[in-house]
Amino acid sequence: MKIKQIRNATLVVEYAGKKFLIDPMLAEKGTYPPFPNSPRQDQNNPLVSLPTSVENIIQNIDAVIVTHLHLDHFDEAAQKILPKEIKMFVQNEEDATEVRNVGFQNVEVLQEDTVFEGIQLIKTKGEHGRGEILKLAGLVCGVVFRHPREKTLYVAGDTVWYDAVQEVINTNKPEIIAVNGGDNQFFEGGSLIMGKEDIYEVYKAAPNAKIIVSHMEAVNHWNLSKKELKSFIDEKEISSTVLVPEDGESYTF
């Protein structure tokens, strides 16, 4: 398999001969206003440019997985640019309705036993924060990829570390895990996605897996820099296991 970090939480995953685009945010740098009640109110989103052209990113994509409909995971640019007949996977019927309403014709709700072109796609739970903020953040999901010819991949999505993430790891024993780890926050409510201690919990739960940390430094409410995370994983002596890609960087497993 090949996993390419595009920008923010957007990944391109080549798996068992198929190419998946995950959580596409495809707008040019600075297109959208900053998320309110959070740092960097003087910077529009996305904070950084795409590492390559949109044409290159969407070339030969077989399916798109949208873990939830927040702007930084499925933006207006993606809605306009992606072919309306492309296969779209979403977390629930509510999201499916919204995706169909913007013109997509081939939308499927992920289940725990979805199969696409021989690849098993298992929807997993996530919690987009802790406590009261969950009501505002809304529902999210992750997905596990399984195929006899490939290592098992777990894309956790926008979640903090909690017991359901441990359960996914225990049940599926993924060899590759992609987490969203920018510790994004508003001024109140705490972490919306994993911070460095959450990522360390993932490592402790799956010490033999390779862990890729996505969703960093691309939208204004990030709270954990790549530099700080790299320093932390160096201190813990896990830098060979926990990978912090630059935009445009890819890994083959």
Side-chain angles (χ1 to χ4, degrees):
M1 90 181 76
K2 185 176 179 183
I3 301 174
K4 185 171 186 175
Q5 167 68 30
I6 302 299
R7 178 187 62 189
N8 200 52
T10 307
L11 301 172
V12 171
V13 174
E14 296 178 46
Y15 192 90
K18 297 297 170 184
K19 198 169 182 180
F20 296 84
L21 176 63
I22 299 177
D23 285 348
M25 185 188 198
L26 301 179
E28 293 184 8
K29 176 183 175 181
T31 297
Y32 309 116
F35 292 118
N37 304 313
S38 59
R40 302 176 195 86
Q41 287 299 300
D42 59 338
Q43 296 182 40
N44 284 351
N45 290 319
L47 304 182
V48 294
S49 299
L50 289 167
T52 185
S53 71
V54 168
E55 290 74 24
N56 282 343
I57 293 165
I58 69 170
Q59 187 176 20
N60 299 324
I61 293 294
D62 294 293
V64 180
I65 298 174
V66 178
T67 63
H68 63 299
L69 299 183
H70 286 170
L71 174 77
D72 56 334
H73 292 257
F74 186 52
D75 69 345
E76 293 167 17
Q79 293 170 26
K80 290 176 182 173
I81 292 163
L82 290 169
K84 293 300 180 284
E85 68 278 4
I86 199 165
K87 183 70 178 184
M88 302 284 293
F89 289 103
V90 297
Q91 65 169 329
N92 56 31
E93 287 294 346
E94 291 78 10
D95 284 14
T97 297
E98 291 198 40
V99 171
R100 290 186 187 108
N101 284 344
V102 294
F104 292 93
Q105 301 148 16
N106 191 3
V107 185
E108 184 174 341
V109 176
L110 284 168
Q111 310 292 338
E112 290 187 7
D113 57 353
T114 297
V115 177
F116 174 73
E117 303 285 351
I119 299 163
Q120 188 180 12
L121 300 173
I122 303 165
K123 183 173 75 172
T124 62
K125 295 176 182 175
E127 292 206 339
H128 202 346
R130 297 181 175 95
E132 289 297 307
I133 198 74
L134 279 173
K135 295 173 187 171
L136 295 171
L139 296 174
V140 296
C141 79
V143 61
V144 170
F145 294 69
R146 300 186 74 102
H147 188 276
R149 294 201 311 270
E150 294 278 18
K151 292 179 166 71
T152 299
L153 166 66
Y154 171 30
V155 178
D158 267 9
T159 186
V160 294
W161 170 262
Y162 76 118
D163 56 2
V165 176
Q166 174 89 59
E167 193 175 313
V168 172
I169 291 170
N170 292 349
T171 302
N172 293 282
K173 298 177 173 53
E175 293 137 293
I176 316 296
I177 303 172
V179 301
N180 291 346
D183 197 12
N184 295 27
Q185 297 186 24
F186 297 110
F187 289 137
E188 295 179 351
S191 302
L192 293 160
I193 58 175
M194 292 190 186
K196 57 190 180 183
E197 295 294 346
D198 298 75
I199 295 163
Y200 189 49
E201 291 297 330
V202 175
Y203 163 76
K204 289 191 290 184
N208 297 316
K210 293 289 187 185
I211 300 165
I212 300 167
V213 185
S214 184
H215 207 321
M216 299 198 77
E217 297 184 0
V219 282
N220 70 284
H221 59 324
W222 68 264
N223 200 52
L224 173 63
S225 69
K226 294 173 187 176
K227 182 179 179 181
E228 183 182 349
L229 178 58
K230 287 176 180 177
S231 175
F232 176 80
I233 61 179
D234 283 345
E235 286 170 22
K236 298 290 187 185
E237 299 183 339
I238 56 174
S239 55
S240 62
T241 298
V242 180
L243 310 174
V244 186
E246 296 301 319
D247 290 351
E249 192 171 356
S250 60
Y251 304 101
T252 301
F253 302 103

